[in-house]
Amino acid sequence: MTYSVAVSGASGYAGGEILRILAAHPDIEIRTVTAHSNAGQPLIAHQPHLRSLAHLTLQETTPEILSGHDIVFLALPHGQSGQYTDALGDTALVIDAGADHRLESVADWDAFYGGAFHEPWTYGVPELLVDGVKQRERLVGASRIAAPGCNASTVSLSLAPGVAAGVIDPTDIVSVLAVGPSGAGKSLKQSLLASEILGTANPYSVGGTHRHIPEIQQALRGALPGADPRISFTPVLVPMSRGILATSTAPIANGATDAEIRAAWESVYGDETFVQVLPEGHFPRTADVLGANTALLGLAIDRPANRVVVVAAVDNLVKGTAGAAIQSMNIALGLPEGRALTVNGVAP
């Protein structure tokens, strides 16, 4: 069976990455692409690397144009998806790459986003441990999927095994992330100009203000119901177009041995394709996952500081966004989970 697809926000980074991956998917026909201010222009004018899709023209983003497809991807700025999802009730599968359907708490939404709250959808991180099982079990047959925030899923995948196993203390998590500017979208912003980011590292959303914090806390509460995860979260913009290198630490739980700590991660991810724990003493680079739907984790046990250190590398546009969305789509449709996705990065 071939599924017809519409992709909104197709002129942006996330929309472009969704299209790049779907273009190689044998079960997908990309029928419609939409945008806002760029409607009426050729897709290739905004995504010149997508040569196989040069025949497509960007249309207006309206419920009428998006409806009538088997699958709709929404790659819109936060706060804009809800107006369309409410009108797509007849669409078999809708996947939102924005934040509108990620959070379960109205209070968290109001505190970090504001505006209309929309019901939470099935979270699109298949490997995440939730209540003792993998999130992929909830994705089977799902009709509404919320793709994750790239920083949020990176940190959650980094720490969930340790939280679930009780080998780390989730009340004192510290995460510092080096991130590429593509995660901020394609709209023109002075802080993202090349002259502002080349040759420098710039912290942002410091001091508990980043919007992905409640998403991380929600995921870690799922890993261990009753847990009270608290996190100091500091992202730093660095001059690479894409990628996240997240260094997360947490205190070692009383009595946890080195063997138990490492086993917590290896038992959860040992049979996973797209989340891999590196051998002891090895740590990932963002270059290793460029273009891949892979999260690589390096684990260290810092006994003098009494903390576990997890270093995670992902491509924020693939495993962080578009790849996670399409991996979740495959599961929901009963297709091979890795179809059109790769574990291989691009080097040099």
Side-chain angles (χ1 to χ4, degrees):
M1 177 178 177
T2 299
Y3 298 90
S4 63
V5 169
V7 177
S8 70
S11 61
Y13 290 136
E17 198 69 359
I18 290 169
L19 289 168
R20 183 183 72 85
I21 298 171
L22 289 179
H25 200 300
D27 304 298
I28 294 298
E29 176 197 358
I30 302 170
R31 185 178 296 172
T32 302
V33 291
T34 78
H36 179 54
S37 59
N38 298 317
Q41 300 177 33
L43 173 68
I44 202 75
H46 298 275
Q47 307 289 5
H49 60 300
L50 300 180
R51 308 310 300 180
S52 68
L53 303 179
H55 60 286
L56 294 173
T57 298
L58 294 163
Q59 302 183 54
E60 291 282 352
T61 301
T62 67
E64 293 75 22
I65 289 175
L66 293 174
S67 63
H69 299 81
D70 298 316
I71 305 167
V72 172
F73 285 86
L74 299 170
L76 301 171
H78 303 319
Q80 294 189 19
S81 298
Q83 62 183 309
Y84 301 106
T85 58
D86 293 344
L88 293 172
D90 294 333
T91 302
L93 177 58
V94 182
I95 302 173
D96 184 14
D100 292 31
H101 296 277
R102 293 175 190 158
L103 296 183
E104 299 170 357
S105 165
V106 177
D108 283 344
W109 177 264
D110 289 344
F112 285 85
Y113 291 94
F117 176 81
H118 296 275
E119 66 174 334
W121 287 357
T122 306
Y123 196 47
V125 184
E127 302 90 352
L128 187 65
L129 198 61
V130 183
D131 290 335
V133 298
K134 298 289 181 67
Q135 179 68 7
R136 66 167 46 88
E137 294 191 17
R138 295 169 171 81
L139 287 163
V140 174
S143 63
R144 298 292 183 270
I145 296 171
C150 53
N151 296 315
S153 61
T154 303
V155 174
S156 299
L157 287 168
S158 296
L159 297 174
V163 173
V167 297
I168 61 174
D169 176 4
T171 66
D172 183 18
I173 296 167
V174 177
S175 291
V176 179
L177 297 82
V179 301
S182 58
K186 213 173 191 179
S187 60
L188 182 61
K189 300 173 184 175
Q190 180 178 335
S191 63
L192 301 180
L193 295 174
S195 56
E196 300 289 339
I197 65 172
L198 293 179
T200 183
N202 304 332
Y204 66 98
S205 297
V206 178
T209 62
H210 197 282
R211 288 173 165 179
H212 286 176
I213 290 173
E215 188 178 339
I216 297 167
Q217 292 173 314
Q218 177 176 289
L220 296 182
R221 283 193 296 268
L224 182 65
D228 178 26
R230 282 174 277 173
I231 180 169
S232 172
F233 180 93
T234 306
V236 180
L237 199 65
V238 297
M240 58 184 182
S241 61
R242 57 166 81 196
I244 298 172
L245 189 73
T247 302
S248 301
T249 78
I252 299 170
N254 290 336
T257 67
D258 289 11
E260 290 171 336
I261 292 168
R262 189 158 192 92
W265 275 263
E266 292 181 341
S267 64
V268 171
Y269 298 135
D271 59 352
E272 291 290 350
T273 299
F274 296 116
V275 180
Q276 301 179 16
V277 180
L278 299 180
E280 185 173 355
H282 292 258
F283 299 92
R285 311 172 303 164
T286 56
D288 302 330
V289 294
L290 182 67
N293 190 52
T294 312
L296 296 181
L297 307 181
L299 179 70
I301 302 168
D302 185 350
R303 283 290 174 182
N306 195 46
R307 297 182 79 87
V308 172
V309 181
V310 183
V311 180
V314 305
D315 184 323
N316 59 294
L317 291 177
V318 189
K319 185 57 175 170
T321 307
I326 291 165
Q327 183 182 351
S328 298
M329 177 200 75
N330 287 337
I331 296 169
L333 297 175
L335 300 172
E337 185 171 332
R339 184 158 290 177
L341 299 167
T342 181
V343 296
N344 296 325
V346 177

